[in-house]
Amino acid sequence: MHEVDPAYMGMESPEAISIVQWREQERKRLISARQGIPIAERTARTDAIVSALDQLLPNVRGETISLYWPFRGEPDLRSWMNTLIARGANCALPVVLAKAKPLGFRSWRAGEALERGVWGIPIPTEGRDVQPTIVIAPVVGFDESGCRLGYGGGYYDRTLAVLQPKPFVIGVGFEQQRMESIRPQWHDIAMDAIVTEGRTLSCTVGQGRKGASSANCR
């Protein structure tokens, strides 16, 4: 669970380094609070997130949707993946290909082989390399502008910066993970929407889901 090197990210100033330290403290606080949610309550909150996602994505036929393997108390959307496939979507999981590089994506459905990837998170063993049209990314924290605080590796930001055509990007988390600000930097890329158990925050200005593209957080 490493933080991005401030020099690599162009953040050599003392102020920027203090932001890195502040973010690391916030990550610890938010992850600890998330892991402290009782299982039954987390399940109920996740069910509400799934209902909101269904409303946001009423027609998924033909879409390639990247989800994630739940980690450290994140909403568990694996059962919903089965529903998406039944509705005509293709599903995938992100794969760390190399440190400080964009993610890859491999197709996966329940029952297919998995292996341990970075941080011990399962990844598809033999899935096809795909490019998602919709990316669903877990958040450690988020703010009202749609900026996402992740684990600090910078993988999603690097990936979203290079994917063409740009996918529709949805951050998912619990309402308690809302922050006044993540203190965004130049490399932070806003989600098109944030979905929690309490609401759907639309962060895209313009045409809506089709043709939407993520913008840098400001």
Side-chain angles (χ1 to χ4, degrees):
M1 290 301 226
H2 66 281
E3 179 58 73
V4 178
D5 181 353
Y8 172 83
M9 298 306 292
M11 301 191 301
E12 301 91 339
S13 70
E15 178 185 0
I17 292 173
S18 70
I19 290 175
V20 170
Q21 294 169 340
W22 175 83
R23 283 184 168 194
E24 187 58 28
Q25 292 172 354
E26 287 297 284
R27 285 187 187 97
K28 292 177 181 178
R29 177 183 69 82
L30 291 163
I31 291 170
S32 177
R34 184 176 66 191
Q35 290 180 307
I37 301 171
I39 292 176
E41 183 178 346
R42 184 183 298 127
T43 299
R45 293 189 190 187
T46 299
D47 289 344
I49 289 171
V50 167
S51 295
L53 287 168
D54 280 334
Q55 293 181 39
L56 183 63
L57 303 172
N59 181 15
V60 297
R61 182 168 298 278
E63 303 279 10
T64 298
I65 304 175
S66 171
L67 291 100
Y68 59 89
W69 198 270
F71 182 63
R72 303 185 77 179
E74 292 169 344
D76 186 350
L77 303 182
R78 286 175 293 179
S79 295
W80 187 56
M81 290 178 69
N82 298 330
T83 302
L84 292 173
I85 291 169
R87 291 165 57 194
N90 302 303
C91 289
L93 293 174
V95 178
V96 175
L97 301 175
K99 183 178 178 179
K101 298 294 183 182
L103 296 166
F105 299 90
R106 291 180 192 163
S107 62
W108 186 78
R109 62 174 61 202
E112 294 182 345
L114 293 161
E115 61 186 84
R116 294 288 175 181
V118 173
W119 302 329
I121 299 173
I123 60 174
T125 301
E126 299 178 349
R128 294 177 294 105
D129 291 334
V130 297
Q131 179 161 322
T133 56
I134 298 171
V135 171
I136 297 179
V139 305
V140 172
F142 70 95
D143 61 27
E144 294 292 323
S145 67
C147 289
R148 168 188 178 271
L149 182 70
Y151 288 104
Y155 290 106
Y156 273 105
D157 287 329
R158 289 188 187 92
T159 303
L160 299 177
V162 299
L163 280 181
Q164 293 293 338
K166 290 188 178 297
F168 185 72
V169 187
I170 305 169
V172 296
F174 301 122
E175 188 64 26
Q176 71 184 51
Q177 295 168 260
R178 185 183 67 81
M179 307 168 68
E180 182 176 348
S181 173
I182 72 160
R183 299 190 185 179
Q185 302 297 292
W186 65 268
H187 54 84
D188 289 308
I189 295 179
M191 306 289 97
D192 294 306
I194 300 282
V195 174
T196 72
E197 76 277 20
R199 58 177 172 160
T200 296
L201 175 64
S202 179
C203 312
T204 299
V205 177
Q207 298 177 352
R209 201 188 81 69
K210 290 296 183 181
S213 61
S214 300
N216 281 57
C217 298
R218 289 290 183 264

